[in-house]
Amino acid sequence: MFPQKPIKRIAMLSVHTCPLAVLGGKKTGGMNVYVRELSREFGRRGIKVDVFTRSQNPCIPHINDMLGENARVIHIPAGPEGPLETDEVFPHLPEFVANVRAFAEREGHGYDVIYSHYWLSGWVAHELREAWNAPVVQMFHTLGLMKERIANQPVGGDMRDLVETDIMSWADRLIAATPAERAQMLWLYRAQRRTIEIVPPGVDLTRFRPKAPNDAKARIGLRPDQKMLLFVGRIEPLKAVDTILQALAIIKDQQPALLDDLVLSIIGGNPDDPAHENAEMERLKAMRISLGLDGLVTFLGAKDQDSLSDYYAAAEALIMPSDYESFGMVALEAMASGTPVIASQVGGLAFLVRDGVNGYHVPVREPGALADRILQLLSIPGERERLAANAAQMARDYGWSEIADRLLTLFEALIPAQAQVATC
């Protein structure tokens, strides 16, 4: 047995999106939160963390220490310093690798482990692996082949599918957020069973915690007698926000009085973007009018995490009728805030949400079933409070400290194995 080496320095790769970016944008969501919060947790433990991401704005300093003690975000020039679609980033990855290596050489150090996120970062990790003699741990956050099956159309092109399959053949460890994601890796990519570890994302239990709903309502401009349903996420077809609007239209026909003091707040995207930049947002805004819900449904755009905590606490429920979610971090944030979740039984949502315990499951794309669950939650005295208490209790097992413990144990176990290979 080789003695385990304590982890002192981690290279975190998040090529296509910065962990400091405002959430709810086109390419920002749970992965940004994951990289940011985990880096902070490692940093608090005295571990040096460098998060390498592609520079998208030449006016932003290339080295940013806003993550806190021991953690930095390093913006690496690769291609034009502006936003690019993920497939447009791929040709610039060799430049990204070269500039990351040059940065590390200037700093005079390597890294004990490379933790890469999303398929673009996995490609980069492969190129850095030998240079630093460091093991690679990969988390995909979403799987291209799975999204394609759900959407019934290509979502990332053949290159993404090929790169994801290749990464699963050589990565030292693959992190699956749930047993379902592990099964998908084995089934769709023929990943090596021994390399997959199930470690879920975490949640900041100091930020997302139960609060008095009326106090939270006051902070976001709601009256105490108003009830709010909430959606949080990117505005894209796979999120199935239209199912929520259709469900509210059914309730409007069946029990219109129930909507008198009810609002649906949709957080994510930018409602003021030109139509050509987010066709799904424009489609939903038009649907809101055609269904007669324009006084009920509000598009609030992106919100920071501190604001989100009040929205969660003020909501009767978070609704996530997605076609596909690899995990669903906003569901975990809502649960930690003491808010039930009504969600489709897919991916991580099937794992997090327990029907009738901390929320409800609904079939995908069935607005009638969603309407029934909303009516049940709003109509049964004490139902919301019962589900909320269970949700908060279950979320306590997902604090970032516990998740970091599990990952560090995994990282440290890889170091002697890597050293043994290097000496052969």
Side-chain angles (χ1 to χ4, degrees):
M1 289 289 293
F2 287 81
Q4 288 189 353
K5 174 184 175 183
I7 301 297
K8 296 181 179 179
R9 194 177 294 273
I10 296 172
M12 196 87 73
L13 303 182
S14 181
V15 172
H16 78 291
T17 185
C18 176
L20 301 175
V22 176
L23 300 180
K26 191 173 183 181
K27 294 296 180 183
T28 57
M31 180 179 139
N32 302 72
V33 175
Y34 183 101
V35 172
R36 184 187 67 215
E37 296 302 321
L38 185 61
S39 298
R40 283 175 172 164
E41 179 62 31
F42 286 152
R44 283 191 287 266
R45 297 169 183 229
I47 300 170
K48 303 291 186 182
V49 182
D50 285 338
V51 182
F52 294 101
T53 190
R54 191 181 72 87
S55 178
Q56 300 189 44
N57 187 340
C59 298
I60 293 178
H62 284 173
I63 301 178
N64 188 307
D65 59 3
M66 287 179 62
L67 285 180
E69 185 180 5
N70 296 312
R72 303 182 295 180
V73 177
I74 315 298
H75 295 93
I76 298 293
E81 288 191 273
L84 293 175
E85 295 294 330
T86 52
D87 58 341
E88 296 173 327
V89 173
F90 185 77
H92 303 291
L93 294 185
E95 181 186 359
F96 187 93
V97 170
N99 286 335
V100 169
R101 291 186 62 176
F103 175 87
E105 289 169 6
R106 288 194 301 271
E107 294 267 310
H109 59 69
Y111 295 88
D112 297 314
V113 66
I114 302 168
Y115 193 14
S116 50
H117 301 270
Y118 201 62
W119 67 278
L120 293 169
S121 298
W123 191 97
V124 170
H126 185 269
E127 302 304 303
L128 295 172
R129 184 190 199 198
E130 184 175 355
W132 293 339
N133 189 31
V136 172
V137 180
Q138 169 74 26
M139 188 172 190
F140 289 97
H141 297 271
T142 63
L143 298 172
L145 287 177
M146 194 65 198
K147 291 187 77 172
E148 287 170 9
R149 284 177 172 265
I150 298 299
N152 199 27
Q153 62 182 10
V155 296
D158 292 340
M159 183 56 67
R160 175 176 178 175
D161 297 342
L162 289 170
V163 171
E164 286 185 343
T165 302
D166 183 55
I167 293 168
M168 294 202 203
S169 73
W170 60 258
D172 296 284
R173 287 295 182 273
L174 302 168
I175 302 298
T178 66
E181 187 177 15
R182 179 179 184 271
Q184 291 157 11
M185 290 177 173
L186 294 169
W187 167 45
L188 295 173
Y189 297 89
R190 300 292 188 266
Q192 301 175 62
R193 190 178 299 271
R194 64 177 178 79
T195 65
I196 306 174
E197 299 284 347
I198 301 172
V199 184
V203 64
D204 184 346
L205 295 174
T206 60
R207 173 180 283 132
F208 299 108
R209 65 189 191 281
K211 305 176 184 177
N214 285 347
D215 292 344
K217 287 179 182 181
R219 285 190 290 270
I220 63 173
L222 290 180
R223 303 188 312 270
D225 60 318
Q226 285 184 292
K227 294 184 176 181
M228 179 180 68
L229 301 175
L230 182 65
F231 170 86
V232 177
R234 290 188 299 276
I235 306 302
E236 60 183 26
L238 283 176
K239 298 295 185 179
V241 181
D242 52 355
T243 304
I244 310 177
L245 302 186
Q246 292 163 349
L248 291 178
I250 292 171
I251 296 173
K252 181 183 176 184
D253 288 340
Q254 294 180 353
Q255 297 192 40
L258 196 63
L259 301 183
D260 288 346
D261 296 311
L262 185 72
V263 296
L264 169 65
S265 295
I266 297 175
I267 293 178
N270 183 352
D272 298 323
D273 273 346
H276 69 275
E277 291 190 12
N278 195 334
E280 181 66 2
M281 177 74 80
E282 291 305 304
R283 189 177 75 86
L284 293 172
K285 287 159 70 175
M287 180 180 288
R288 171 182 62 174
I289 294 172
S290 66
L291 293 175
L293 302 174
D294 43 315
L296 174 69
V297 178
T298 304
F299 294 90
L300 298 176
K303 297 288 182 182
D304 62 33
Q305 294 262 285
D306 290 330
S307 298
L308 272 180
S309 66
D310 281 331
Y311 278 93
Y312 289 134
E316 301 302 307
L318 175 76
I319 303 182
M320 296 186 69
S322 309
D323 296 334
Y324 168 68
E325 291 282 351
S326 59
F327 186 73
M329 288 185 69
V330 297
L332 183 55
E333 290 170 355
M335 288 168 52
S337 303
T339 301
V341 180
I342 304 177
S344 48
Q345 194 171 4
V346 298
L349 298 177
F351 176 80
L352 276 176
V353 179
R354 300 186 185 178
D355 190 47
V357 177
N358 59 3
Y360 303 127
H361 281 142
V362 292
V364 174
R365 298 286 176 177
E366 289 195 19
L370 178 56
D372 288 343
R373 287 305 202 181
I374 293 172
L375 287 171
Q376 180 178 349
L377 180 74
L378 298 179
S379 302
I380 299 177
E383 180 73 348
R384 196 265 182 198
E385 289 73 19
R386 179 182 70 83
L387 298 174
N390 291 335
Q393 178 65 38
M394 294 174 68
R396 290 173 191 159
D397 294 333
Y398 291 87
W400 278 115
S401 178
E402 180 173 335
I403 302 306
D405 284 343
R406 294 172 62 178
L407 287 169
L408 285 175
T409 298
L410 186 155
F411 294 169
E412 289 168 357
L414 289 174
I415 303 300
Q418 188 76 2
Q420 184 177 15
V421 170
T423 58
C424 292

